[in-house]
Amino acid sequence: MIPQEWILFLSLSLLILGIIGVMIRKNLVIMLLSLELILNAINLNFVSFSYYWGNTMGQVFSIFVMTVAAGEAAIGLSIIIVVYRLRKTMDADTIKEMEG
Amino acid sequence: MIEIPFLILAVLAFLGGLGVIVFRQPIHCAISLLLTLLSLAGIYLILHAEFIAVAQILIYAGGILIIFLIAIMFISVSEAEKKKKWVSSYQFFALFGILLFVNLSFFISSTVFGKGKGFSEIINKYGGDTQAISDSLYVHYLIPFEVVSLFLLVAMIGAIIMGRWAVKK
């Protein structure tokens, strides 16, 4: 039986990779891909706790997280395509109207 | 010996996640994410979550990643933009990530995780993982399940409206 700490370490490293990806990348699509990494890390946590505690609640929640990830990818990518058609750029640094 | 497949899959998942943030082309990042998703599906199989593993492959690798690939296909970045710097100061953020990892792994290793009943008892009771999930999902969490379908409807309508608006512009 795998120690639960190993799975939590893997989940933690995926989470940190996702956070760093959101912060350092300038391409909007890759920022969304990093968000998917973060959601996957959360799913792994849910499933591991579900397995070690003998409770199906974690797996049910990870299904909900997957649904939210699907909706987020659809909405986010449609926003990104609208931004691309208006600006012809994918650079997150050049889109700064809200910043003033 | 279930540890060795787990370690191999964990290393593959980590390398895929690293590839997402270091590859330059978005298409390479997406394929690298596919590696992470498939390795995580393998880890879910090790953790006796067969339904989640299949749903991971179907929804993430078959659905979400295909949407990403289609969006990447629509977008062509100009040559001038390809020459520009593509990350901010990554040394600082690498240091930040390492510090965050050390900090949080200290909390993980100092916590004593309680042991519940274990999952084999549930599998013996219901006859399988999928049966146990369906009992939980359709009995205890029926209302959240229906609300999630409403959420998907709203997301679909929003994506369609934004797509049509972009065409009209």
Side-chain angles (χ1 to χ4, degrees):
Chain A
M1 196 160 167
I2 307 161
Q4 196 185 359
E5 284 82 2
W6 293 6
I7 299 173
L8 293 181
F9 280 130
L10 174 63
S11 165
L12 174 63
S13 33
L14 286 181
L15 176 83
I16 289 176
L17 282 178
I19 291 174
I20 293 178
V22 171
M23 288 194 295
I24 71 171
R25 294 309 292 257
K26 293 182 173 179
N27 194 322
L28 287 170
V29 174
I30 299 176
M31 288 166 83
L32 265 187
L33 281 176
S34 307
L35 278 183
E36 299 293 333
L37 264 185
I38 295 177
L39 290 173
N40 268 295
I42 294 167
N43 263 349
L44 184 60
N45 252 353
F46 274 136
V47 173
S48 79
F49 274 101
S50 157
Y51 176 68
Y52 287 101
W53 285 59
N55 194 338
T56 52
M57 202 175 116
Q59 299 193 13
V60 172
F61 261 83
S62 85
I63 293 173
F64 290 153
V65 170
M66 276 184 199
T67 320
V68 170
E72 173 242 323
I75 292 284
L77 284 171
S78 62
I79 290 175
I80 285 174
I81 286 183
V82 170
V83 167
Y84 176 71
R85 290 211 173 137
L86 292 177
R87 293 296 159 77
K88 300 290 173 204
T89 180
M90 293 303 297
D91 196 348
D93 288 350
T94 59
I95 305 161
K96 47 187 177 187
E97 273 71 28
M98 305 274 275
E99 189 181 313
Chain B
M1 282 311 279
I2 203 68
E3 283 89 358
I4 294 174
F6 171 77
L7 285 178
I8 294 172
L9 288 173
V11 168
L12 283 180
F14 180 77
L15 288 181
L18 195 64
V20 171
I21 68 172
V22 300
F23 281 144
R24 177 153 192 177
Q25 301 287 336
I27 186 99
H28 296 164
C29 297
I31 299 301
S32 179
L33 185 70
L34 177 66
L35 177 65
T36 302
L37 297 177
L38 293 181
S39 323
L40 284 182
I43 291 176
Y44 294 156
L45 279 183
I46 290 177
L47 292 179
H48 288 285
E50 290 91 7
F51 182 76
I52 303 292
V54 175
Q56 168 98 358
I57 293 177
L58 280 182
I59 297 177
Y60 268 111
I64 296 177
L65 207 67
I66 296 298
I67 302 178
F68 271 102
L69 288 179
I70 289 174
I72 290 170
M73 199 178 69
F74 270 115
I75 290 161
S76 61
V77 179
S78 63
E79 286 297 320
E81 196 154 333
K82 277 182 191 164
K83 297 240 172 23
K84 277 201 293 190
K85 219 175 125 195
W86 54 288
V87 289
S88 326
S89 59
Y90 65 91
Q91 293 94 345
F92 169 72
F93 286 109
L95 182 67
F96 170 79
I98 291 171
L99 285 180
L100 193 60
F101 184 83
V102 169
N103 191 1
L104 290 178
S105 61
F106 171 73
F107 283 109
I108 289 178
S109 52
S110 66
T111 308
V112 179
F113 293 102
K115 282 276 181 283
K117 293 175 290 188
F119 208 67
S120 55
E121 190 172 319
I122 284 188
I123 290 182
N124 290 334
K125 184 178 163 194
Y126 288 99
D129 165 66
T130 312
Q131 287 93 329
I133 288 185
S134 67
D135 183 67
S136 189
L137 188 62
Y138 293 125
V139 176
H140 296 289
Y141 297 99
L142 185 62
I143 293 175
F145 184 71
E146 299 294 335
V147 171
V148 156
S149 71
L150 196 65
F151 164 79
L152 277 181
L153 181 70
V154 169
M156 189 179 75
I157 292 173
I160 290 173
I161 287 176
M162 258 181 286
R164 288 178 59 86
W165 182 77
V167 169
K168 268 185 213 154
K169 275 280 185 185

